[in-house]
Amino acid sequence: MLRTTITGSLPKPVWLAEPGILFAPWRVPPDSLAEAQDDAVRLALADQDETGIDVVTDGEQRRRHYIWGFLAGLTGVDLARLGRRQSRGGRYAKETEVPRIVGELARPRPVLVDAVRFARRHTRRPIKVTLPGPLTIVDSTVDEHGRTDEKTLAMRFAALLNAEARDLAAAGADVVQFDEPTFNVYVDKVEAWGVEALERCAEGVEATTAVHICYGYGIPRVLAWKTRNTEWGHYRTTLPLLARSHIHQVSVELAASAVDPAVVAALNGKDVMAGVIDVGTEEVETPETVAERIRRVLPHVAPERLYPCTDCGLVPRSRAAARGKLHALAAGAALVRQELRTPAARPAS
Ligand code: ZN
């Protein structure tokens, strides 16, 4: 019970990419990049092994960005000459630069299978692999080719993601997670076709399937929105839809936002990855703080189904802070696990 996991990304070593920023360019020349990424993955796995994280990832050390890392493996997408559009409902920025869809979308070969095989060889722990979800991809690209409606485009991406997810499971991924931060932005689209597209991604995948929803990375423009926002009612619509879906696990941000942990009660029957680590600050939580956050979720999820997790990716953080947070996550979960085994140890308050 209370098995710990992270959303996906960890900061990259300073010799691999500039720290503290998203989309950081590689600092290693192309002919040494693969070897350098292998080394960084070993370190990411070692950090999780040593701190005692139960379900690990490769820290997304091979991608500059969680969406682009998958798109780069497709044909029909231009990641060099970018377009501009409003994304995330304009919540965090008026416009952002996004990849352009310029041809027929296809996946000539698996994108992350070699990465999974490498991780599988270097840890005994269960491995999670993350892919961007279709609604989020559609919101993060401009379609200059098909100029079709969003649902049709999302279902096209979903078919490609499904083929990839099946391959990842066959290569040894224990969990395949689809990252859908836009589920917290476009509630109407989630209802109309977002969950349908997500389920298409997970169809026939022989691994545990998961969806991560959040308010984005812990970077200043996102934090500014989060501290201003007071309306979190979208979960009343989206979580029951996910509860009725075939997805096994749902990841919800609870540490940094003011979301009431009781919302996860709507996920009855699912595994819940509860965000108990704030990814927007360098300040490392104490294990006791993490334990208290876990205790606040426990009335709403059985401990066997509760996975203490980070709110979102740790990529913008320093490695020291990230390592500290991994340790706090594992230690905080261990405290609560101990209390559940010996109820007398539970604090009175
Ligand atoms: Zn996230």
Side-chain angles (χ1 to χ4, degrees):
M1 56 185 175
L2 301 182
R3 278 163 291 173
T4 53
T5 187
I6 61 172
T7 299
S9 68
L10 288 171
K12 296 185 179 76
V14 66
W15 43 260
L16 182 61
E18 185 180 334
I21 56 167
L22 301 179
F23 299 99
W26 303 115
R27 281 180 163 170
V28 174
D31 59 348
S32 324
L33 184 58
E35 187 181 326
Q37 289 169 334
D38 284 353
D39 292 344
V41 169
R42 286 170 183 254
L43 293 171
L45 291 171
D47 281 348
Q48 294 166 89
D49 274 335
E50 285 164 16
T51 49
I53 301 300
D54 296 303
V55 181
V56 301
T57 76
D58 73 357
E60 300 180 12
Q61 299 292 301
R62 302 176 194 278
R63 341 178 179 168
R64 287 180 59 207
H65 185 263
Y66 76 100
I67 300 172
W68 293 23
F70 178 69
L71 295 182
L74 306 181
T75 56
V77 185
D78 187 347
L79 290 117
R81 276 191 51 230
L82 300 173
R84 294 191 72 82
R85 64 166 288 169
Q86 188 195 74
S87 294
R88 314 296 183 263
R91 188 179 274 186
Y92 311 126
K94 217 169 176 174
E95 273 194 336
T96 37
E97 288 194 309
V98 294
R100 296 177 309 127
I101 299 166
V102 293
E104 202 57 46
L105 289 167
R107 188 189 69 126
R109 63 192 70 81
V111 183
L112 298 171
V113 159
D114 288 344
V116 170
R117 290 197 181 119
F118 182 88
R120 186 66 291 159
R121 285 199 301 276
H122 290 89
T123 181
R124 290 196 178 87
R125 295 178 189 259
I127 296 173
K128 175 162 78 176
V129 191
T130 63
L131 292 167
L135 177 56
T136 297
I137 296 180
V138 167
D139 190 52
S140 310
T141 48
V142 279
D143 181 9
E144 296 179 1
H145 175 70
R147 297 181 193 280
T148 180
D149 65 282
E150 287 190 314
K151 180 184 175 181
T152 305
L153 184 61
M155 294 311 282
R156 178 71 194 125
F157 276 115
L160 298 171
L161 288 161
N162 179 247
E164 178 74 11
R166 287 172 185 240
D167 287 342
L168 296 176
D174 301 280
V175 183
V176 179
Q177 173 181 295
F178 301 96
D179 294 333
E180 283 285 31
T182 52
F183 271 37
N184 278 348
V185 183
Y186 306 113
V187 180
D188 293 351
K189 292 179 197 177
V190 174
E191 270 188 295
W193 50 264
V195 174
E196 183 186 341
L198 177 67
E199 290 209 273
R200 174 72 186 91
C201 294
E203 216 173 85
V205 175
E206 296 197 357
T208 300
T209 56
V211 61
H212 164 65
I213 47 183
C214 67
Y215 302 98
Y217 286 118
I219 55 172
R221 65 173 187 273
V222 175
L223 296 174
W225 179 86
K226 256 195 272 195
T227 47
R228 276 197 319 270
N229 187 56
T230 53
E231 171 50 49
W232 312 98
H234 47 274
Y235 284 128
R236 283 195 292 274
T237 306
T238 53
L239 296 187
L241 286 171
L242 288 169
R244 287 196 293 275
S245 77
H246 293 107
I247 302 293
H248 303 115
Q249 302 188 328
V250 182
S251 155
V252 181
E253 165 176 344
L254 296 173
S257 60
V259 174
D260 180 350
V263 295
V264 301
L267 290 169
N268 191 19
K270 301 294 175 195
D271 291 346
V272 175
M273 288 183 271
V276 293
I277 294 288
D278 182 350
V279 298
T281 165
E282 286 286 294
E283 192 188 325
V284 174
E285 288 89 344
T286 63
E288 187 44 53
T289 296
V290 173
E292 189 47 40
R293 288 174 182 164
I294 295 170
R295 290 184 201 114
R296 290 181 63 215
V297 188
L298 266 176
H300 314 291
V301 193
E304 297 75 24
R305 287 205 170 274
L306 178 56
Y307 288 70
C309 185
T310 55
D311 267 355
C312 188
L314 280 163
V315 60
R317 298 273 63 85
S318 70
R319 290 179 82 205
R323 237 190 324 257
K325 284 171 183 280
L326 293 181
H327 172 74
L329 175 58
L335 281 175
V336 182
R337 225 177 275 131
Q338 186 59 32
E339 291 164 17
L340 291 170
R341 288 198 185 108
T342 51
R346 210 172 299 183
S349 63

